[in-house]
Amino acid sequence: MEQKFKKTINFVQTSETDTSDWKQAYIDYLNTFSDEEYYSYGLFQMDSDGIPELAVSTGVEATGVKICNYDGNSVRETQLRRLGFFYIENANLLCNGGGHMDVYFDIVYSIQNGVMTRISEGLWGAEDNANVQIDENGDPIYVYNWNGQQMSKEEYDANLKQVFDYELAEDGYFTAIYTKQEILEQIKNF
């Protein structure tokens, strides 16, 4: 199931990695997009390897954002759900959070051996989003699941914070604001 969200694109075939390899791999990857595509791009530092990750935003919630990382030989692409993501700089943690129509998620990733890997996942929302039940305060009644286990909202929040602390995170949505030409220049000058 994990593999359906990932795609590996090989552009650099070298046995030794130097600082220019990742740059050329990202440049070659970006050149697969036409100049007419209205995507936006950004670089951010998720892990501490000195090589930035690349965000590719489609600008449309339904098609989301792609996170690319360089694994030492190739660009790896991970398709996130929706556009929202947060990362903790140099902590090797990214959380794709979002949802709609009373169905929400928090999916936490880490780069492990060059591969963006889901390490935890939370889902919450109405059991029947066509018939949302309301409590005595007028708030919707939601069901919370963390890694497949149902729990209270408080337990859910505690589990999420144990893996990914939003208070330490930066909003990745505002990372991907550059045009293709602008991000190509940033990569060349990094």
Side-chain angles (χ1 to χ4, degrees), residues 46 86-89 91-95 108-110 119 163-164:
M46 181 177 149
F86 291 79
Y87 66 97
I88 301 174
E89 189 171 5
N92 197 16
L93 291 170
L94 180 145
C95 186
V108 182
Y109 293 90
S110 177
I119 59 172
V163 178
F164 190 89

Side-chain angles (χ1 to χ4, degrees), residues 44 83-88 95 166 168-176:
F44 66 100
L83 292 174
F85 76 95
F86 291 79
Y87 66 97
I88 301 174
C95 186
Y166 272 104
L168 303 175
E170 297 187 43
D171 191 340
Y173 177 78
F174 297 105
T175 301

